[in-house]
Structures are given as structure tokens and as C-alpha cells.
């Protein structure tokens, strides 16, 4: 079907705020509303009322709603999903508890592994076995499944996950098991061959468990949202942004909600990539800090880095292996619990810590005057003068400086014999250093030098901290785009209809079977394009990727290949492409070992129009400063009389010398003393170091 794209609305539910962005034929209207945990859809409806009133349109004029949410992520982190049964192959009941047996903190004698999502008493094993080549070694015990269906019904399970060994090679047993259970049960059933048809049973089993665990809750929420939108007069289609950065239908999202786990951050990465393309910036680090978390993503050649797996709810910060692995296509980023609502505290060694616990929207930071008593990062920013207590969130939330100072003094300052201002500075410095460390780790893991990138900052809290983060990282330039406070929601409006389909099939290069591979790729192309066609009838582009390795290696690298039918003579092309990619990752290729294909990927998406291109201007004319107030400057360590400039009064070419605070409805941009701000032709703020 053809969608109307002239009026598009993006809605991003975060842990603290719900962001709404409305594009009416190129004019942008936006707002932030506190997230309603009891009824998340209510915040969306409230936000829609605000932006359509500002735009002067009716709900029925909206052509499409694009939605992203952290609800699936929060359900996994907080363990608030459905009571779920796992049905697996006999002998593999404990795979999700044994994990990979990797000690992610080798020298921690008190290492605590994350609890499996499904406890042992809710995991059931049945006979039946498929081998690694997809051949049946033992028939499925169908009689046992019929008995198991009665047990699941009697024990009140809300969802079922099915994960059998080697089902990615042959899904017949999983499909038959689903048919038998569905004949006796009326609850959703997820199978790993559809949710994550990839090799490695721990990641695959965990992913299908996560999908089943959040499926009833997400299906109920998405159904309520559609009903409420229609009741308010918005009968337009609703699409969801998935973790890989594309759009899928609500029906697909309801069936595969695990694909939504990183949907909000994915929108932010798309937003940053669009800004990078607009200004011709080939190396960018995006910095997205909201009310609950901060996310950092590397973007090269206008494309965010992607991966096939990521972790939710790490128990050790920055430590791979300490979280819950989810095996789906995803925009790769590092995430830490450092948002505006993150709680500050002092540990047993007298060190200031911040997060990962968050005050969120209920009750919120102490300064919100909504019952919160513990100090949050927003409280520290307020005490340091970065925020105007009478003009926060466009004046919708009045902040209490007294509450913020009292909370910081009680929980941090008094314990360390510091004044509230000094304690607030300590809190903010710890947070900024944590984020700087996260950016360094992420860049090093990808073989990059973080200081060579331009930063793009967005999210309600990121512009408050971006300049200081640039100081710590040696980054010379930072962009704060128009609408930065609702950046992820704007990113939703720019996302393509897209889907990535994957399948694992181990095959040595010397035994390459063109017919088998072409047939598999045809199936993947049909699957990916089928999801895309649910939202558009426009032109579609495809990207073919093979994940390859040397035989005996534990992990693969992605190798981009041409979109065409392959022949036996292509083995030389495969070898050359793999070795070039391998040398890019590790410095040189290795001669001798056999090269293997492990997983194939087909990514399909519609063609999106490219926006205007601009040249980044670093010079500008100084402007008069309408007001000043005292703001703590970290570079000098003192409170300085700081320029306070409304963003909507600045024209392209204007230059504001730091220290300054550029204020707008959804956020404020703090320009520390080492930086100046130059307004670009599209209204973007460029922070550039003085003298550069």
C-alpha cells in the first residue's frame, strides 16, 4: 500500500519522557511528556494533542505514526514479563543457565552470573533430535508434547518458547511442536527458527525466551495503542521501528517484540546519521543522553555500525558476557545507566557513583517536586546553574532548587564534607567521566580513535554535558541539531521501511554449493521484502552479507557481497573479499586455513530521498547577549557569569562565545569556556574549540 508521507508523527517512549515529533510538510512540531508507566499509550495521546494543536491540524490529518519504545527492554531488565515455559531438546534443559561458561570477570571470586530469564522448573525437555546438517536423528516425541500441553495449561503459563538443537538448519521439529501445543493452548508460542535462525544455541534459546517473555505484554500494549488512536480520530497506520533501524508493521512487532528491544536508541542513531550526511561528516560519534540512559554509537560513511547480537541488563558495566544476550540484527552502540534521572550515591569506599538506578518519571529527581527524595543528575545540573528552574521542559515542570540542594547535601555532600555545589560538581564529573570511558571503550573495541570523530549530541540531557565530554575525549567539534531534545523521535520520521533476514548454514569455501546458497538467499530475500512491502510499494534496495571465518575460529566477520546469483566460479571473489575484510579488522590475512561461511544476511529497505547538503561553517559574527546568570564552569572550576541566549533568537552565522547556555523548550546547550557556538544554515549549533 502507498503511505501518505506529508504528515508523519514519531513517538518515542523513554524511561522518563515520551517524545513526540510531528512533521507537517517539512515543518517540525515537538514536545516532551512525562512517561506514564501505568498506561504508556496515554503519554503518546497527550503529546499528540499538544503538537496537533500547535500545528493547527486534526488527528485525522496524520498520515502515519512511527513508534519506538523501551517497554520491551524494561520488561526484560525488571523481569516483568509473562510466566513463560521453555520447551527444548532432551539434554539441553539447562543451556540458558550454563551460558557459555565464560568468566567475564576472571579474578572476581564472588562472581554472580545473571539469573536465567526462565527458572529451571519452567523448562521442559522432549525427545527428538536434528543434527548439525539438518538431518533427523531421532523423531519428535509427539505424545510427550500432548501431555506437556496439559501441564502448561494447568500451571497457568502465559507464553511458550520452543528452542530445539540445530533448528536453524531444519525447523521441522519446532514447527510440529508448535502445531501440537497450539492445538491445546490459547497462548502465544514463539519458535527459535523464526525469532533467531542462527547458530549458537545459548544465544538463540535466550532470544526466543525473551521474545515469548515480553510478547503478551507488548501485544496488549500495541492493541490498546491502536484502539486509543482510532478513538481520538487518528485512523492512520502505525509502524514500529526495530532495533536494526527499519520500520515494521504492528502485527510483525506483536509477533516478534524482541526486535523492538533497542528501537528507541536505533531512532537516535538514524537521526545522527542523517545529520552526518547533511554536513558531509564521514566519521561521527553520536551521543544520546535521555532521562534514564546514555547511548554512544559510531557512524562511518553515514551508516551506524551494526551487529547480530547485543546484551541487555549487564550486571558489570562495560563487561561483555555479563548480560542477557539477544541474537537479532541491531545497531551497535554502548549503553550506560547515566541519564538525567540517574541516582547519585556514595559507595562504601567514599566514592561518588551515579546510576544505573534511575528516578525515571515516577517519582523523578528531587527537583521535580513529585515525591522524589534522592539526588539525580538533573538535580546536580540545576544546582550548578545549567538549568533554569522556571523554564524546564518549556515551563511545564517547575524545578525546586531547594529540593535539589537538600537531596545532594543529605546523600552526598554531608557524607563527604562537601558543599552542595561541590558535591554537585563531583556528581556531574563522575557521570561525564563514565560516559567518556564508555566512548573510549566502544571506539577501541572497533579499532578507532575517538578524537578523530565529530560528536552529534541529542536527547534531553546530552546538550548539557556534550561540551565537557568533548573536552575529556579531545573531540574538537560537536553538533547539536534542531530538535535535539526529541532526536530519537525525529529519527523515526527518517527511518526507512526495512528488515533484515538471516540464516545460518556452515559451508567451507572449497565445498561451496551455489545452488544451495542461491535457494537460501532467495528465501531470505522473499522474507525481507515481504516485511518491507507491508509498508511501502516504492523501490527496494538489498544488501547481501556473508558472515565468514577461518575454520576453527569462534567468531565471524561480516563480508558484503554483490546482490546477484552466485556461481561456482565465485569462490575466488569470496576469498578476496574475505581476506580484504579480515585485514581491515586484524591488520593482515592468514594464509592456509580453510575459509567458512557461517551465516547469510539479506537486508531490504525502501529508497529514502536524500535531504539538503550543507557546508559546516566554523566562523560567525558575535551576537549581543540578552541575559546572564551564574553557571559553574568545569574548565575553570568556578562559577562564571554566563551568557543565557534563547536558541530561537539566533540566526545562521551567529557566534556565541563560551561560557554560555543556549536555551530551548526541550533542552539546553551548555557551551563551556573552551568552546564557541556557531549557528549553521539549518539552525544546527556547532560547538567548536576556540582558536580552531
Amino acid at each position: 500500500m502507498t503511505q501518505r508521507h506529508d504528515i508523519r508523527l514519531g513517538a518515542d517512549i523513554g524511561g522518563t519522557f515520551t517524545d513526540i515529533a510531528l512533521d507537517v510538510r517539512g515543518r517540525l512540531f515537538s514536545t516532551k511528556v512525562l512517561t506514564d508507566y501505568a498506561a504508556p499509550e496515554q503519554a503518546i495521546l497527550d503529546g499528540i494533542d499538544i503538537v496537533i494543536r500547535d500545528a493547527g491540524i486534526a488527528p485525522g490529518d496524520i498520515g502515519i505514526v512511527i513508534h519506538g519504545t523501551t517497554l520491551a527492554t524494561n520488561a526484560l531488565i525488571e523481569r516483568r514479563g509473562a510466566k513463560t515455559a521453555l520447551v527444548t531438546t532432551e539434554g539441553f534443559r539447562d543451556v540458558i543457565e550454563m551460558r557459555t561458561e565464560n568468566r567475564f570477570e576472571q579474578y572476581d571470586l564472588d562472581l554472580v552470573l545473571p539469573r536465567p530469564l526462565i527458572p529451571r522448573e519452567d523448562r521442559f525437555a522432549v525427545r527428538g533430535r536434528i543434527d548439525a546438517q539438518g538431518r533427523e536423528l531421532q523423531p519428535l516425541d509427539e505424545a510427550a508434547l500432548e501431555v506437556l500441553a496439559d501441564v502448561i495449561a494447568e500451571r497457568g503459563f502465559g507464553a511458550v518458547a520452543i528452542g530445539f538443537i540445530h533448528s536453524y538448519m531444519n525447523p521441522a521439529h519446532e514447527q510440529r511442536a508448535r502445531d501440537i501445543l497450539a492445538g491445546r493452548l490459547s497462548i502465544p508460542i514463539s519458535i527459535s527458527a523464526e525469532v533467531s535462525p542462527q547458530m549458537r544455541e545459548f544465544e538463540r534459546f535466550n532470544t526466543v525466551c525473551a521474545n515469548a517473555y515480553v510478547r503478551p505484554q507488548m501485544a496488549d500494549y500495541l492493541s490498546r495503542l491502536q484502539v486509543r488512536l482510532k478513538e481520538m480520530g487518528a485512523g492512520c497506520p502505525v509502524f514500529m521501528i526495530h532495533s536494526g533501524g527499519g520500520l515494521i508493521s504492528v502485527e510483525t512487532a506483536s509477533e516478534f517484540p524482541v526486535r523492538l528491544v533497542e528501537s528507541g536508541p536505533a531512532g537516535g542513531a538514524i537521526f545522527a546519521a542523517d545529520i552526518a550526511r547533511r554536513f558531509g561528516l564521514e566519521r561521527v560519534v553520536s551521543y544520546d543522553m535521555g532521562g534514564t540512559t546514555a547511548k554512544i554509537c559510531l557512524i562511518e560513511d553515514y551508516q551506524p555500525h551494526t551487529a547480530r547480537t547485543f546484551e541487555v541488563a549487564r550486571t558489570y558495566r562495560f563487561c561483555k558476557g555479563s548480560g542477557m544476550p539477544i541474537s537479532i540484527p541491531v545497531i551497535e552502540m554502548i549503553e550506560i545507566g547515566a541519564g538525567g534521572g540517574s541516582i547519585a550515591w556514595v559507595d562504601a569506599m567514599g566514592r561518588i557513583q551515579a546510576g544505573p538506578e534511575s528516578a525515571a518519571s515516577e517519582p523523578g529527581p528531587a527537583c521535580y517536586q513529585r515525591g522524589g527524595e534522592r539526588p539525580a543528575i538533573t538535580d546536580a545540573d540545576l544546582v550548578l546553574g545549567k538549568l533554569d528552574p522556571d523554564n524546564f521542559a518549556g515551563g511545564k515542570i517547575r524545578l525546586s532548587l531547594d529540593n535539589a540542594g537538600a537531596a545532594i547535601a543529605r546523600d552526598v555532600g554531608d557524607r563527604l564534607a562537601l558543599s552542595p555545589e561541590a558535591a554537585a560538581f563531583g556528581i556531574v564529573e563522575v557521570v561525564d567521566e563514565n560516559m567518556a570511558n564508555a566512548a573510549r571503550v566502544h571506539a577501541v573495541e572497533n579499532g578507532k580513535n575517538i578524537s578523530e570523530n565529530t560528536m552529534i549530541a541529542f536527547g534531553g540531557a546530552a546538550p548539557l554535558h556534550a561540551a565537557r565530554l568533548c573536552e575529556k575525549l579531545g573531540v574538537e567539534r560537536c553538533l547539536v541539531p534542531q530538535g535535539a531534545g526529541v532526536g530519537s523521535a525525529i529519527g523515526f520520521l527518517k527511518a526507512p521501511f526495512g528488515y533484515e533476514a538471516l540464516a545460518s548454514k556452515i559451508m567451507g569455501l572449497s565445498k561451496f554449493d551455489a545452488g544451495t546458497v542461491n535457494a537460501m538467499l532467495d528465501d531470505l530475500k522473499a522474507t525481507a521484502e515481504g516485511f518491507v512491502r507491508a509498508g511501502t510499494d516504492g523501490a527496494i534496495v538489498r544488501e547481501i552479507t556473508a558472515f565468514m571465518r577461518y575454520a576453527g575460529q569462534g567468531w565471524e566477520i561480516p563480508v558484503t557481497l554483490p546482490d546477484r546469483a552466485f556461481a561456482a566460479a565465485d569462490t575466488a571473489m569470496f576469498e578476496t573479499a574475505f581476506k580484504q575484510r579480515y585485514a581491515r579488522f586484524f591488520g593482515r590475512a592468514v594464509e592456509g586455513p580453510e575459509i567458512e561461511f557461517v551465516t547469510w544476511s539479506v537486508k531490504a529497505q525502501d529508497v529514502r530521498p536524500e535531504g539538503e547538503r550543507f557546508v559546516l561553517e566554523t566562523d560567525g559574527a558575535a551576537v549581543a547577549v540578552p541575559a546572564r546568570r551564574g553557571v559553574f564552569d568545569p574548565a575553570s572550576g568556578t562559577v562564571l557569569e554566563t551568557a543565557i541566549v534563547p536558541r530561537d533568537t539566533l540566526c545562521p552565522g551567529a557566534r556565541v562565545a563560551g561560557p554560555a547556555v543556549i536555551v530551548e523548550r526541550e533542552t539546553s546547550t551548555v557551551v563551556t569556556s573552551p568552546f564557541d557556538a556557531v549557528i549553521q544554515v539549518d539552525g544546527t549549533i556547532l560547538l567548536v574549540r576556540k582558536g580552531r
Side-chain angles (χ1 to χ4, degrees):
M1 56 185 170
T2 302
Q3 301 296 343
R4 290 163 43 205
H5 296 294
D6 55 343
I7 301 181
R8 297 160 61 89
L9 186 135
D12 176 26
I13 295 182
T16 304
F17 285 99
T18 292
D19 297 344
I20 305 294
L22 176 68
D23 183 347
V24 182
R25 304 178 186 92
R27 297 176 60 212
L28 183 68
F29 302 86
S30 61
T31 191
K32 298 176 81 72
V33 181
L34 284 170
T35 295
D36 187 331
Y37 279 80
E41 68 277 7
Q42 186 60 51
I44 295 178
L45 301 175
D46 293 343
I48 291 176
D49 282 336
I50 294 171
V51 294
I52 63 173
R53 184 186 65 232
D54 292 346
I57 65 171
D61 295 328
I62 300 173
I64 183 173
V65 171
I66 302 169
H67 181 28
T69 175
T70 61
L71 294 178
T73 311
N74 294 341
L76 291 172
I77 293 173
E78 300 168 13
R79 304 297 176 100
R80 290 187 291 101
K83 182 180 180 182
T84 303
L86 170 62
V87 181
T88 189
T89 304
E90 188 175 57
F92 293 86
R93 179 184 181 188
D94 296 317
V95 163
I96 63 172
E97 191 156 359
M98 294 168 64
R99 301 170 64 87
T100 60
E101 297 188 344
N102 173 52
R103 291 184 63 85
F104 46 83
E105 278 290 343
Q106 186 173 356
Y107 301 108
D108 185 350
L109 299 180
D110 299 318
L111 183 70
V112 178
L113 294 174
R115 288 185 297 112
L117 197 60
I118 299 178
R120 195 171 197 271
E121 61 269 20
D122 295 339
R123 307 194 294 259
F124 306 93
V126 296
R127 292 180 182 177
R129 188 68 180 269
I130 301 291
D131 71 7
Q133 285 71 46
R135 299 169 300 200
E136 184 180 74
L137 296 180
Q138 183 183 42
L140 184 65
D141 189 343
E142 297 188 2
L145 282 165
E146 291 177 355
V147 174
L148 179 58
D150 294 334
V151 173
I152 291 172
E154 290 170 3
R155 292 177 52 179
F157 286 97
V160 176
I162 301 175
F164 291 156
I165 289 297
H166 302 309
S167 64
Y168 60 89
M169 292 295 295
N170 181 352
H173 279 190
E174 285 192 355
Q175 292 168 345
R176 179 57 182 154
R178 176 175 58 186
D179 292 343
I180 293 171
L181 295 179
R184 293 170 172 258
L185 302 171
S186 58
I187 56 177
I189 302 172
S190 301
I191 65 173
S192 73
E194 292 179 352
V195 174
S196 178
Q198 301 183 61
M199 187 182 71
R200 298 188 177 92
E201 62 268 19
F202 168 51
E203 289 83 358
R204 180 163 51 87
F205 287 4
N206 204 81
T207 303
V208 73
C209 289
N211 191 80
Y213 187 73
V214 301
R215 189 171 167 183
Q217 178 181 345
M218 289 301 299
D220 180 60
Y221 161 70
L222 293 174
S223 176
R224 293 199 318 269
L225 174 63
Q226 290 181 289
V227 170
R228 295 290 303 278
L229 286 171
K230 289 179 181 178
E231 288 176 350
M232 77 177 302
C236 59
V238 179
F239 287 87
M240 306 296 295
I241 184 163
H242 60 70
S243 302
L247 302 181
I248 55 176
S249 67
V250 171
E251 293 74 21
T252 300
S254 297
E255 187 174 359
F256 303 111
V258 74
R259 289 256 181 172
L260 306 179
V261 169
E262 287 289 275
S263 63
I270 294 170
F271 176 63
D274 181 71
I275 300 298
R277 182 181 296 276
R278 187 184 304 174
F279 287 100
L281 303 172
E282 295 183 352
R283 290 194 300 273
V284 160
V285 56
S286 73
Y287 166 42
D288 176 5
M289 183 178 179
T292 304
T293 58
K295 285 77 66 176
I296 292 167
C297 175
L298 291 176
I299 298 170
E300 285 189 297
D301 299 326
Y302 320 127
Q303 295 294 326
H305 284 201
T306 58
R308 288 182 299 144
T309 185
F310 70 106
E311 289 183 344
V312 176
R314 284 183 177 174
T315 54
Y316 288 62
R317 182 176 282 175
F318 309 142
C319 193
K320 285 185 175 180
S322 67
M324 183 189 307
I326 303 294
S327 182
I328 58 171
V330 63
I331 290 179
E332 186 179 22
M333 59 188 73
I334 192 165
E335 182 172 317
I336 62 173
S342 295
I343 300 295
W345 50 286
V346 177
D347 66 15
M349 297 179 66
R351 299 174 302 182
I352 295 176
Q353 304 285 354
E357 184 183 358
S358 175
S361 62
E362 299 173 3
C367 62
Y368 278 20
Q369 305 182 79
R370 294 168 57 89
E373 296 181 351
R374 300 170 66 188
I377 297 170
T378 298
D379 295 309
D381 286 333
L382 178 63
V383 168
L384 295 176
K386 296 181 182 181
L387 298 172
D388 181 351
D390 298 322
N391 194 32
F392 183 75
K396 292 192 296 250
I397 301 176
R398 293 300 177 103
L399 304 182
S400 169
L401 182 59
D402 292 339
N403 285 8
I408 290 173
R410 182 186 63 250
D411 288 6
V412 179
D414 292 349
R415 292 195 58 183
L416 302 177
L418 297 173
S419 68
E421 292 76 12
F425 175 55
I427 292 169
V428 171
E429 276 292 279
V430 165
V431 169
D432 291 344
E433 191 59 44
N434 284 343
M435 290 186 290
N437 281 334
R440 295 185 190 105
V441 168
H442 190 50
V444 168
E445 287 179 346
N446 285 274
K448 308 298 179 184
N449 182 352
I450 192 69
S451 64
E452 295 176 353
N453 291 262
T454 298
M455 181 179 289
I456 297 179
F458 54 94
L464 291 164
H465 296 258
R468 183 58 172 164
L469 197 57
C470 288
E471 292 177 31
K472 292 177 176 292
L473 295 173
V475 172
E476 303 291 330
R477 301 183 301 184
C478 176
L479 295 174
V480 182
Q482 288 273 32
V486 292
S488 290
I490 296 175
F492 296 172
L493 304 179
K494 301 179 181 299
F497 290 94
Y499 194 86
E500 184 174 359
L502 303 102
S504 288
K505 191 170 189 63
I506 300 176
M507 180 184 295
L509 187 59
S510 62
K511 299 178 181 179
F512 177 71
D513 184 338
T516 299
V517 170
N518 287 335
M520 179 180 60
L521 288 176
D522 287 343
D523 288 342
L524 293 178
K525 291 173 185 177
T527 298
E529 290 188 14
F531 284 114
V532 175
R533 285 295 178 215
T536 180
D537 57 3
I540 291 178
V541 294
R542 295 190 302 245
E543 182 179 299
I544 312 299
T545 303
F547 293 87
M548 306 171 68
R549 67 184 182 186
Y550 288 113
Q553 289 185 322
W555 296 97
E556 309 83 51
I557 61 172
V559 180
T560 302
L561 298 174
D563 181 10
R564 61 172 173 80
F566 296 119
D570 286 321
T571 54
M573 180 268 291
F574 294 143
E575 181 176 3
T576 299
F578 171 75
K579 288 183 174 179
Q580 288 176 346
R581 187 69 170 164
Y582 195 91
R584 182 176 178 183
F585 273 98
F586 304 110
R588 67 181 182 88
V590 180
E591 299 300 330
E594 168 79 305
I595 297 172
E596 288 181 335
F597 300 96
V598 176
T599 299
W600 293 82
S601 160
V602 174
K603 183 177 181 180
Q605 65 182 45
D606 70 330
V607 179
R608 306 296 299 164
E610 292 191 7
E612 290 184 81
R613 298 294 186 95
F614 304 112
V615 175
L616 206 60
E617 298 291 345
T618 57
D619 294 320
V623 297
V625 176
R628 293 183 182 273
R629 73 166 180 258
V631 178
F632 187 90
D633 182 66
S636 62
T638 59
V639 174
L640 300 178
E641 282 299 303
T642 300
I644 307 299
V645 186
R647 185 168 185 167
D648 57 10
T649 65
L650 296 173
C651 298
R655 187 181 189 98
V656 179
V661 180
I662 300 174
V663 298
E664 54 187 300
R665 187 167 64 173
E666 281 97 11
T667 187
S668 293
T669 301
V670 174
V671 187
T672 56
S673 55
F675 286 88
D676 286 350
V678 180
I679 308 302
Q680 304 301 300
V681 66
D682 67 337
T684 294
I685 299 172
L686 169 66
L687 302 182
V688 60
R689 284 186 185 265
K690 287 182 167 65
R692 302 296 172 89

